[in-house]
Amino acid sequence: MLAVLAVGFVYFLFYRVTGVGCPIKFMTGVSCPGCGMTRATLAAVTLHFHRAFFFHPLWMLPPIWVILYIFQKKIPRRLYNGLAVATVILFGIVYILRMANANDMIVVFQPKNGWIYRLAAWIIQ
């Protein structure tokens, strides 16, 4: 649990210093499956559930997984693993559907805007 808090703190510092909200999107120009999750959680905390679902339809799963993680010793291993696999599959399905939706403003596929592409283009020139 301490490691999760440490990662969160490092991410917060990284964001405050660089202004980069998502390192994956910054590097590749492609949104990750969790894109919009932070904004969704903040919307839910302020009781704007419609906005939370807009930012990421699976916003409620991370808090559920925190609870599952805390009580994992009391949950049968097969059930816990099955829930983990189901969660990964669900995130994959939502990610594919959001990527296929050209009108989705949260999840984007813009590799030319990524740092890696720009660096490679600069090196080639």
Side-chain angles (χ1 to χ4, degrees):
M1 189 66 160
L2 186 58
V4 172
L5 292 174
V7 169
F9 182 71
V10 169
Y11 171 73
F12 174 76
L13 287 177
F14 176 78
Y15 173 72
R16 296 295 290 178
V17 171
T18 64
V20 174
C22 178
I24 294 170
K25 192 173 182 180
F26 173 75
M27 296 294 288
T28 66
V30 180
S31 300
C32 71
C35 194
M37 191 63 75
T38 302
R39 290 171 281 182
T41 302
L42 292 173
V45 167
T46 58
L47 305 179
H48 293 100
F49 299 111
H50 180 66
R51 289 182 54 130
F53 280 105
F54 170 76
F55 288 126
H56 201 293
L58 301 178
W59 63 268
M60 76 297 283
L61 286 182
I64 292 170
W65 270 102
V66 168
I67 295 166
L68 288 172
Y69 179 77
I70 291 169
F71 294 105
Q72 70 178 323
K73 301 249 190 260
K74 298 179 189 235
I75 301 170
R77 178 63 44 201
R78 274 183 93 177
L79 176 60
Y80 188 84
N81 291 343
L83 290 171
V85 169
T87 300
V88 170
I89 290 170
L90 193 56
F91 265 88
I93 291 169
V94 168
Y95 182 62
I96 290 167
L97 292 173
R98 291 179 85 190
M99 278 294 223
N101 181 359
N103 296 322
D104 194 316
M105 297 180 299
I106 308 297
V107 176
V108 297
F109 183 80
Q110 301 168 341
K112 290 184 178 181
N113 291 338
W115 184 82
I116 294 171
Y117 180 89
R118 291 182 297 196
L119 178 65
W122 179 76
I123 291 171
I124 292 171
Q125 290 180 0

